[in-house]
Amino acid sequence: MIGLVAAQAYNVNAIAEKFDMTRQAISLHLKILADCGLIVIKQNGRDRFCEAQLDLIG
């Protein structure tokens, strides 16, 4: 998932379409990545977009 959002921001539904997991499981994974500071989730209207924060590692 990090590799996917590293190239560009994706909304949660677009990420879920790329994996053979439930949307609920995708949301949980994304929440964990956000809690670790690896991604940022931004609300834009009804959509939530995920962006990688890889420049903060190291």
Side-chain angles (χ1 to χ4, degrees), residues 3-58:
L4 186 66
V5 299
Q8 71 181 45
Y10 278 92
N11 73 22
V12 175
N13 289 328
I15 295 170
E17 290 175 359
K18 303 213 179 268
F19 294 92
D20 188 24
M21 299 168 64
T22 65
R23 188 181 181 289
Q24 196 171 27
I26 295 291
S27 291
L28 179 61
H29 280 74
L30 293 173
K31 181 184 178 326
I32 291 168
L33 293 173
D35 289 347
C36 293
L38 296 173
I39 66 168
V40 131
I41 302 173
K42 297 180 181 178
Q43 190 79 31
N44 186 1
R46 294 179 69 178
D47 291 326
R48 292 184 309 146
F49 285 87
C50 302
E51 297 177 2
Q53 294 295 301
L54 302 178
D55 57 330
L56 301 176
I57 297 174

